[in-house]
Amino acid sequence: MIISMSDILCVTNRTLCKEDFLERVEKIAANHPTGIILREKDLSEKEYKELAEKVLQLCKKYHVPCMLHSFVDAAIELRAENIHLPLHILRGLDEKTKEKFKIIGASCHSVEEAKEAEQLGCTYITAGHVFQTDCKKGLAPRGLEFLQNVCKSVSIPVYAIGGISSENMDAVRKTGAAGACVMSGLMRCENVKETMKGFEIKV
């Protein structure tokens, strides 16, 4: 999918940042994650497009793929090559629209959804939530067995999402996942470089 020394996809949430959001994005991009998914679900399409333009420039500066999220028209207008979509939006895309993107990701929550996403042309998927996480309070995590079953069901890269930390990352890798998504860990940490280092494969 993406050539990188890291198997971490950063998922953004600017409301968690303790510093200027674009400064945080630049620090993350400078440490070369597999990619950055610009999620920012609370923004209008106009607001999202304005932010996305700046984030795309930062990612380009560090040669890090940026996946825009949900707003397909904004992504096309910005000539973005990559998009990440909820499954219900992906289902509504025609083939001509899909051809405008090199990388298409989708969020999946079951083996059936993973298979459907692959059939709909995804080049990777995220699967979760795997572990307990504040983002999904009150919802039971699906666990490592779920993740392993998803990985076995498709031939495209699967990235675990939900409660991923440096402590459980090795267990995630053992399921056959291509990597994992990290949001709060990278949005809130004091030192991005050290946090990214913590996710490296321990030899």
Side-chain angles (χ1 to χ4, degrees), residues 177-195:
C181 300
V182 178
M183 182 169 67
S184 56
L186 285 169
M187 292 288 106
R188 285 180 172 150
C189 67
E190 295 296 327
N191 189 312
V192 171
K193 190 173 184 177
E194 288 303 310
T195 300

Side-chain angles (χ1 to χ4, degrees), residues 21-22 31 42 52 55 75 79 92 105 107 123 140 154 174 176:
F21 177 64
L22 291 174
N31 282 280
D42 62 313
V55 172
R79 293 192 172 90
S107 305
T123 56
V154 294
K174 284 172 185 170

Side-chain angles (χ1 to χ4, degrees), residues 36-103:
I36 295 175
I37 300 174
L38 185 65
R39 197 157 173 254
E40 310 312 319
K41 293 169 89 173
D42 62 313
L43 296 178
S44 69
E45 184 158 9
K46 182 177 180 292
E47 291 168 329
Y48 183 88
K49 188 183 172 187
E50 286 171 4
L51 181 64
E53 193 166 13
K54 294 168 186 169
V55 172
L56 283 165
Q57 286 173 358
L58 285 174
C59 288
K60 190 177 181 182
K61 179 180 173 182
Y62 294 96
H63 307 288
V64 171
C66 178
M67 279 66 89
L68 299 192
H69 195 287
S70 294
F71 294 114
V72 177
D73 290 342
I76 291 169
E77 285 168 26
L78 290 169
R79 293 192 172 90
E81 294 184 334
N82 318 314
I83 191 100
H84 187 97
L85 301 169
L87 209 48
H88 70 273
I89 296 179
L90 177 63
R91 288 180 184 126
L93 291 193
D94 57 41
E95 292 306 313
K96 195 175 178 183
T97 304
K98 288 179 198 171
E99 284 169 11
K100 293 181 186 293
F101 301 103
K102 282 186 180 176
I103 294 171

Side-chain angles (χ1 to χ4, degrees), residues 80-163:
E81 294 184 334
N82 318 314
I83 191 100
H84 187 97
L85 301 169
L87 209 48
H88 70 273
I89 296 179
L90 177 63
R91 288 180 184 126
L93 291 193
D94 57 41
E95 292 306 313
K96 195 175 178 183
T97 304
K98 288 179 198 171
E99 284 169 11
K100 293 181 186 293
F101 301 103
K102 282 186 180 176
I103 294 171
I104 302 175
S107 305
C108 300
H109 307 94
S110 68
V111 166
E112 291 70 30
E113 287 186 357
K115 288 178 178 176
E116 182 184 359
E118 184 174 35
Q119 286 169 351
L120 288 170
C122 278
T123 56
Y124 79 96
I125 59 168
T126 61
H129 66 288
V130 177
F131 301 108
Q132 198 71 47
T133 170
D134 287 344
C135 300
K136 304 280 185 183
K137 271 185 178 169
L139 283 175
R142 293 183 169 89
L144 290 167
E145 189 178 354
F146 152 79
L147 179 61
Q148 189 167 34
N149 289 336
V150 169
C151 292
K152 285 178 180 174
S153 73
V154 294
S155 58
I156 54 177
V158 177
Y159 288 82
I161 193 167

